[in-house]
Amino acid sequence: MRTNKTFKFICLVISFVCVSTLISMIPTSVRMIETGSGVLSSYMSDTKFGIESNFYNSRAFDDDLIGYLTDISSRSVRDIGDDKADKDYKEREKEKKLTQETLDEIVNAKYFVINNDTKEIYTNTEYKTSQDFVKNISGECDVKIKSEDYNISYDKKVGEEEYSKPNVNNQLGSRMALKNGEIYISIPENFTNYMNHYDQIYQAKIDFDNNIMYMLIIIAVSGVAFVLGIISIILYKRNKSYLFEEDSFWLKMSKVMPLEVYLFGLFLAVNFAMQGMYWGYDIVGTFFSCFFGIGFIMTVFYIFNRQMNTYDNKLDIFKTTFIYRILRLLKGIISKIVRESRGITRSMPLAKRIIVIGIICLFINVIGWIMDVAAYSYIFSLGAAVISLVGFTYYVLKKLSYLSYIIDGTARIKNGDIHHKLTLVGDDNFTELADNINNIRDGLDNAIDSQLRSERMKSELITNVSHDLKTPLTSIINYIALIKKEEDIKPEYLKDYINVLDSKSKRLKVLIEDLFEASKASSGNIELNMEKIELTQLLRQSIGELDEKLSESNLDLKINVPEEKVYIRADGRRMYRVLENLLGNISKYSLPNTRVYIDILEEDDRVKLTMKNISSYELNFDPDEIMERFKRADDSRNTEGSGLGLAIARDLINLQGGSFKIDIDGDLFKSIVEFNSIH
């Protein structure tokens, strides 16, 4: 059974090839008759019509080659006038020289051209007269073309046969540039082929011989195709096996293919076949263009016919169309959206929506193309393309514009404008995104308000507790001072207890004052007396106040300040507290017997105060972390610090319009304070 199918398929293919070959001969023959194709008898042979085997009696020679030679020969001696002042004189002279150069490139002919009006001669021989040329030059084909008052005659001798036409104005009139003149051309029997040299006569002879060979081959192949085609068709009909059962893979694949594909393939095949008839192909090009086009048409019709036979209802073929499938897909999508959501537009993802719009645009373009084919015009497809492109672009740009608006809004919220609210436009994914961002903004706003209330409550609690603790602590300190004044304290070790109470109460007092100061600074509840301050003087005053502590740590201060005075706008009392805290940190946490560098630089209208010291503790923390309240470099908390000094300094500097930051490089601790300078 398998062998029968294979044989039937081979017969089918052979019959298609043979039928395509035979049908292709029709437009090829029409093409040959319409254009001559160079192989038909020329107008010089009145008694003969058909394929001409002799090159010199063919249309390729008389119509094409002689017409070309007449054109360039007559122009080589054409009268260009004597008035050199004429603006067209140089152009005519240039054209004449160009035709002479073109004529000189022809090596497979002897020619003699004379303008009987000017007596100008142009030849590639040694002869001075036409009589000498005719007497001494004889070739396989000799031609004489004569013009008398633009009445052109044509004489030709091929071997022993002579041909003459007293009037060939219709054939050569447009090619002759001489009013009165003669052209003699003699073509030898043997042609010369020079490498890298193009010769018109040699090429025309080669093309003619090739066309004759092609015609003979096509005729022979057509005869074989006729016989072989009949045999293959008979064998195909007698074979009762089925090439494609209803459940075969190829037939199933053909059902998947939309009907528009068949129509489009058929259109391309017809267009390809028509090209062979109406485009400027030669005989071979015309034949093969028609052959492949007709073969493809037969294949499409065969597959379509086999597919149609599988349908009980022939109208089911329209269910394979692309349009039907699109409508079916749209129906399914819409039905699914209606079932699964309350709102159609919000439930459909933007990607699906764009795909649907793209399919609709494609459908519009297909309709426009079909109307173009029917009306033989491009206006419908052009209009459909413009409408679909403008509509699709407008929709996409509109959505991208709204997306850009959402991005800008989220950027404003990110940069601190948490009260900014996005406007909801439309009812799709971007609208849902904007709504979600608004909800996040509301949640973030509530969280920030809650945090601010919590921070405010903590600050108020710290302030109130600090204030409430100061009164009893002051009483404790005063009573300890009174006890210390007593001389007769027994037993003796009670004095040590009293000293400890005195030290701890004073430290507690410092801690409460720092806590109170930190609370007010962080909440901004401080009255500032902003004035013009000379920073260098304030720094030296602060160093002088803490000189004792700095000396106890054996620290060597290296101070680098400008010679000129440096002014900033700040609160003098608060700035003194800042410097006191920073210098106090240096005295507490610097490695003994090291240098401390304090620099004041003024550049670009900014004043920068930098303090650098080597820490006695490992700096294994983040610079921002050390500025938090109650954070200390000494994790063991053996030193007397409260952990609030840097936090107070940072808050006070920020309140005065400056900036404060910490930089850590290994064990190098750097504090940097910046203010705008005042001149």
Side-chain angles (χ1 to χ4, degrees):
M1 187 68 179
R2 179 67 178 173
T3 304
N4 291 338
K5 284 186 178 181
T6 304
F7 181 76
K8 188 170 185 177
F9 180 76
I10 293 174
C11 291
L12 177 66
V13 173
I14 293 175
S15 64
F16 277 8
V17 172
C18 294
V19 173
S20 298
T21 302
L22 292 172
I23 296 177
S24 298
M25 277 300 299
I26 298 174
T28 302
S29 301
V30 172
R31 179 74 173 168
M32 181 182 65
I33 294 172
E34 285 182 349
T35 64
S37 299
V39 297
L40 296 181
S41 299
S42 74
Y43 58 87
M44 295 296 288
S45 303
D46 293 332
T47 60
K48 185 178 180 182
F49 179 80
I51 297 176
E52 179 62 60
S53 60
N54 190 330
F55 170 63
Y56 300 107
N57 292 328
S58 68
R59 293 186 181 181
F61 182 82
D62 290 327
D63 286 1
D64 300 331
L65 181 59
I66 293 301
Y68 170 77
L69 294 177
T70 300
D71 182 71
I72 61 173
S73 298
S74 60
R75 293 180 185 276
S76 67
V77 294
R78 186 179 184 181
D79 184 16
I80 62 174
D82 297 324
D83 186 9
K84 295 184 179 181
D86 187 1
K87 61 179 182 179
D88 295 328
Y89 177 84
K90 290 185 177 179
E91 194 66 28
R92 293 194 298 269
E93 185 180 39
K94 182 179 178 181
E95 179 185 359
K96 183 176 180 179
K97 289 182 179 179
L98 184 62
T99 56
Q100 290 177 353
E101 292 173 359
T102 304
L103 192 58
D104 290 340
E105 292 178 357
I106 298 176
V107 296
N108 285 299
K110 300 295 184 180
Y111 53 84
F112 185 95
V113 187
I114 180 171
N115 187 333
N116 291 330
D117 292 329
T118 63
K119 304 305 179 182
E120 183 180 2
I121 296 173
Y122 196 80
T123 180
N124 61 351
T125 65
E126 58 189 14
Y127 304 109
K128 305 298 182 182
T129 63
S130 58
Q131 292 80 3
D132 292 339
F133 180 89
V134 173
K135 181 179 178 181
N136 294 285
I137 299 296
S138 179
E140 186 177 10
C141 179
D142 298 313
V143 173
K144 175 185 176 182
I145 302 170
K146 185 176 182 180
S147 175
E148 293 181 351
D149 292 328
Y150 291 118
N151 183 34
I152 306 168
S153 62
Y154 179 22
D155 297 301
K156 176 176 67 174
K157 180 179 180 183
V158 181
E160 299 298 324
E161 296 183 4
E162 295 184 359
Y163 305 87
S164 180
K165 281 279 186 181
N167 189 328
V168 290
N169 287 2
N170 292 335
Q171 291 80 16
L172 299 179
S174 61
R175 315 301 292 272
M176 174 61 76
L178 296 176
K179 179 179 180 181
N180 295 290
E182 298 172 19
I183 301 173
Y184 298 87
I185 301 173
S186 178
I187 302 175
E189 183 176 355
N190 298 320
F191 286 83
T192 303
N193 180 23
Y194 292 96
M195 294 297 294
N196 300 323
H197 181 80
Y198 179 83
D199 183 88
Q200 184 73 20
I201 298 177
Y202 177 82
Q203 190 61 45
K205 182 65 168 61
I206 293 298
D207 292 340
F208 174 82
D209 292 339
N210 289 337
N211 285 335
I212 290 293
M213 180 184 66
Y214 293 149
M215 283 297 301
L216 294 176
I217 292 174
I218 290 174
I219 293 172
V221 170
S222 298
V224 174
F226 179 79
V227 176
L228 193 59
I230 293 176
I231 296 173
S232 60
I233 291 173
I234 293 173
L235 293 176
Y236 175 81
K237 291 293 185 180
R238 294 186 62 181
N239 194 319
K240 301 302 181 181
S241 60
Y242 291 93
L243 285 180
F244 304 101
E245 286 83 8
E246 291 187 6
D247 60 343
S248 67
F249 171 78
W250 295 108
L251 203 55
K252 290 180 179 178
M253 287 294 295
S254 67
K255 288 185 177 181
V256 174
M257 190 176 300
L259 178 62
E260 290 89 344
V261 175
Y262 288 107
L263 297 176
F264 185 71
L266 188 62
F267 171 79
L268 291 180
V270 173
N271 185 59
F272 196 73
M274 296 296 290
Q275 286 183 8
M277 296 183 62
Y278 296 105
W279 285 26
Y281 291 152
D282 55 12
I283 295 175
V284 178
T286 300
F287 176 82
F288 280 107
S289 177
C290 296
F291 174 82
F292 287 116
I294 294 169
F296 194 81
I297 293 172
M298 295 175 64
T299 303
V300 171
F301 270 111
Y302 180 84
I303 296 175
F304 182 76
N305 180 66
R306 293 300 303 161
Q307 182 178 345
M308 287 293 293
N309 291 335
T310 62
Y311 294 111
D312 295 330
N313 184 3
K314 303 302 181 182
L315 295 178
D316 288 344
I317 188 66
F318 293 100
K319 293 182 179 180
T320 66
T321 61
F322 193 68
I323 298 174
Y324 177 84
R325 293 177 182 180
I326 292 175
L327 296 176
R328 185 173 164 185
L329 176 63
L330 292 175
K331 181 181 177 182
I333 293 174
I334 295 174
S335 300
K336 182 178 179 181
I337 293 172
V338 171
R339 288 195 308 268
E340 297 180 358
S341 65
R342 292 177 298 175
I344 294 178
T345 55
R346 184 179 289 271
S347 298
M348 181 183 288
L350 184 62
K352 284 187 177 180
R353 188 179 302 185
I354 292 177
I355 291 174
V356 170
I357 294 175
I359 293 173
I360 294 174
C361 293
L362 180 62
F363 175 72
I364 293 173
N365 279 273
V366 170
I367 295 298
W369 174 78
I370 293 174
M371 295 179 68
D372 276 351
V373 174
Y376 296 98
S377 173
Y378 294 103
I379 187 65
F380 295 103
S381 61
L382 180 61
V386 171
I387 292 172
S388 58
L389 180 62
V390 171
F392 186 81
T393 304
Y394 171 77
Y395 181 80
V396 172
L397 290 179
K398 182 180 178 182
K399 293 304 173 184
L400 291 178
S401 175
Y402 188 49
L403 176 61
S404 178
Y405 166 75
I406 294 174
I407 293 173
D408 293 339
T410 54
R412 289 182 59 178
I413 295 174
K414 181 193 72 171
N415 293 330
D417 187 6
I418 60 174
H419 298 291
H420 177 69
K421 188 173 184 178
L422 298 175
T423 304
L424 301 182
V425 178
D427 192 22
D428 54 21
N429 300 100
F430 287 160
T431 309
E432 186 176 357
L433 174 62
D435 191 22
N436 291 337
I437 292 174
N438 285 338
N439 293 334
I440 293 174
R441 178 195 62 81
D442 293 338
L444 181 62
D445 197 9
N446 293 333
I448 292 174
D449 288 342
S450 177
Q451 185 178 0
L452 289 175
R453 284 196 301 269
S454 177
E455 289 290 332
R456 188 164 53 251
M457 290 177 65
K458 287 192 293 183
S459 298
E460 291 175 355
L461 176 63
I462 292 172
T463 302
N464 294 333
V465 170
S466 300
H467 185 271
D468 292 341
L469 288 176
K470 287 175 71 175
T471 301
L473 182 59
T474 303
S475 299
I476 292 172
I477 293 173
N478 292 335
Y479 280 112
I480 291 174
L482 293 174
I483 294 173
K484 288 179 67 175
K485 291 180 179 180
E486 293 292 331
E487 297 180 356
D488 188 18
I489 298 176
K490 300 294 182 179
E492 203 57 43
Y493 61 84
L494 291 177
K495 294 181 179 180
D496 296 331
Y497 295 163
I498 293 170
N499 290 331
V500 171
L501 288 172
D502 184 43
S503 174
K504 297 302 180 182
S505 61
K506 289 180 179 178
R507 182 178 177 186
L508 182 59
K509 180 181 179 182
V510 172
L511 177 60
I512 292 174
E513 289 176 348
D514 286 348
L515 188 61
F516 186 72
E517 187 78 13
S519 176
K520 292 197 297 181
S522 63
S523 64
N525 189 22
I526 293 179
E527 292 185 5
L528 297 175
N529 181 25
M530 303 295 289
E531 57 186 350
K532 186 176 180 181
I533 297 174
E534 209 283 294
L535 183 59
T536 304
Q537 180 182 358
L538 184 61
L539 174 64
R540 294 188 184 278
Q541 181 182 346
S542 302
I543 293 173
E545 293 289 339
L546 296 174
D547 184 62
E548 183 178 351
K549 287 187 177 181
L550 296 171
S551 299
E552 289 176 359
S553 301
N554 295 323
L555 298 175
D556 184 11
L557 267 63
K558 300 293 184 181
I559 302 174
N560 179 27
V561 297
E563 295 181 359
E564 298 180 355
K565 293 183 179 182
V566 178
Y567 293 98
I568 62 172
R569 184 170 296 280
D571 187 317
R573 187 162 65 91
R574 305 302 179 185
M575 275 305 298
Y576 177 80
R577 179 62 190 273
V578 169
L579 297 176
E580 182 183 32
N581 285 2
L582 296 180
L583 293 171
N585 255 19
I586 291 174
S587 65
K588 294 174 188 176
Y589 301 114
S590 292
L591 184 67
N593 301 314
T594 58
R595 284 182 287 274
V596 176
Y597 293 90
I598 302 176
D599 301 320
I600 295 180
L601 297 176
E602 185 177 14
E603 55 183 15
D604 297 333
D605 295 329
R606 296 284 287 178
V607 176
K608 181 187 291 186
L609 169 62
T610 306
M611 297 184 182
K612 294 179 283 188
N613 66 285
I614 302 298
S615 175
S616 59
Y617 301 95
E618 183 181 357
L619 301 178
N620 55 354
F621 48 77
D622 186 81
D624 294 331
E625 182 183 356
I626 196 63
M627 287 191 288
E628 297 300 324
R629 284 178 287 181
F630 303 109
K631 182 66 180 179
R632 296 168 62 181
D634 176 18
D635 291 334
S636 64
R637 295 185 175 268
N638 292 323
T639 57
E640 61 181 20
S642 63
L644 295 170
L646 291 178
I648 294 172
R650 177 197 61 192
D651 293 337
L652 290 176
I653 291 172
N654 290 338
L655 287 174
Q656 296 175 83
S659 65
F660 177 68
K661 66 178 181 178
I662 298 296
D663 190 13
I664 295 174
D665 186 2
D667 289 334
L668 178 64
F669 187 88
K670 184 190 297 184
S671 304
I672 303 171
V673 178
E674 286 193 45
F675 276 92
N676 289 328
S677 63
I678 298 177
H679 299 287

